[in-house]
Amino acid sequence: MLRSHEDDELNARQNATTERSAAAMLDKETERELYALYKAHFARADAERLWNPWSSVVWPTEAEAEASAPSTALVEATLALWRDATLLPDYAAINQNLLRASRGRAWFWTHWTYEKSKHLVAFLEWLQRRGGWDEDALSSAAEELLTQYRWEPPCDEATGVCVDAYLYELSQLEKLEALKIQAQAEGESTLAELVTWIIRDTQAQRDYLAEALRIIGSHYPERLTEALNTVAASHEAPELATALATYLQ
């Protein structure tokens, strides 16, 4: 049985959070559609995209690894994606709190966080095995990133954070596709395999977010338009609102 905290100040903070997250809840029919969308996304993930960075790819033998080394450019490109993933817990935690009252989107976000953590581990493994980085150096780099930076969504409204996440996935897919081409060109087949799996996950995440926004837009067009404009303004690129609206048609 859950009990309220006796501390009035703590209760006030918790109530404020609850009120803010409650704003994410839409009408029952829309929430049912969003939850059905999440269940379908989850079912496909388990049926089609179960993988891990150790057994789903072929790692080079020690002799093969010693015979060649990736270019500095390839290592730096992989590091850039690893840096993005390192800051995701900030972003994920805030968004999860904002979406808490919308079951489908909240559970999608939980699954999204799990898959993103797997991507981080995949980049870590490759950087340690092939990129010349050891665990201590990567830990220090992560600590420096987390000390100096924090990644927060550009707004505190549930539809807006979904728009921002959708934009993030579009950007990530561009970077991942470029990394895959670069890895293939250098014969770094393990990295290319890892990135192929990550691209599949990212495409599925993009597709969920796009469809969720279409559902919201069909019931609440003004809410979606406002969210698109808010996110576009946060990136100082007003034209993004029209571009994203076109993607979502």
Side-chain angles (χ1 to χ4, degrees), residues 226-241:
E226 182 179 353
L228 290 169
N229 289 330
T230 298
V231 172
S234 75
H235 289 274
E236 298 183 350
E239 68 280 3
L240 268 179

Side-chain angles (χ1 to χ4, degrees), residues 7-80:
D7 187 313
D8 289 339
E9 183 180 351
L10 180 57
N11 280 335
R13 291 201 300 270
Q14 289 183 329
N15 289 339
T17 300
T18 301
E19 289 169 9
R20 184 174 63 171
S21 63
M25 185 181 293
L26 305 173
D27 65 275
K28 290 184 179 180
E29 179 56 34
T30 305
E31 290 297 340
R32 276 195 292 267
E33 289 183 53
L34 291 169
Y35 189 67
L37 180 66
Y38 164 69
K39 286 200 299 182
H41 170 83
F42 185 88
R44 285 194 297 272
D46 266 18
E48 303 169 9
R49 296 187 289 107
L50 280 182
W51 68 282
N52 71 65
W54 302 280
S55 63
S56 299
V57 300
V58 178
W59 289 94
T61 64
E62 186 174 337
E64 289 170 336
E66 290 176 353
S68 65
S71 69
T72 300
L74 186 60
V75 174
E76 287 299 321
T78 306
L79 272 170

Side-chain angles (χ1 to χ4, degrees), residues 136-232:
D136 288 342
L138 284 167
S139 293
S140 295
E143 183 178 348
E144 183 177 355
L145 273 173
L146 293 169
T147 300
Q148 294 184 10
Y149 302 101
R150 182 176 180 82
W151 186 8
E152 297 183 358
C155 59
D156 61 358
E157 190 275 323
T159 305
V161 299
C162 289
V163 169
D164 190 62
Y166 176 59
L167 180 61
Y168 171 73
E169 299 299 2
L170 293 175
S171 172
Q172 285 294 105
L173 281 170
E174 288 185 5
K175 294 178 183 179
L176 289 164
E177 292 286 0
L179 181 62
K180 180 179 177 179
I181 292 169
Q182 193 175 356
Q184 289 172 327
E186 292 193 23
E188 282 291 326
S189 59
T190 300
L191 180 59
E193 286 183 73
L194 287 171
V195 174
T196 296
W197 282 110
I198 294 170
I199 286 173
R200 290 174 185 171
D201 288 347
T202 305
Q203 287 171 334
Q205 292 157 355
R206 172 205 60 193
D207 291 347
Y208 170 88
L209 288 162
E211 188 56 32
L213 290 168
R214 290 186 189 107
I215 289 171
I216 294 168
S218 69
H219 295 277
Y220 301 89
E222 298 85 0
R223 184 186 293 244
L224 178 58
T225 298
E226 182 179 353
L228 290 169
N229 289 330
T230 298
V231 172

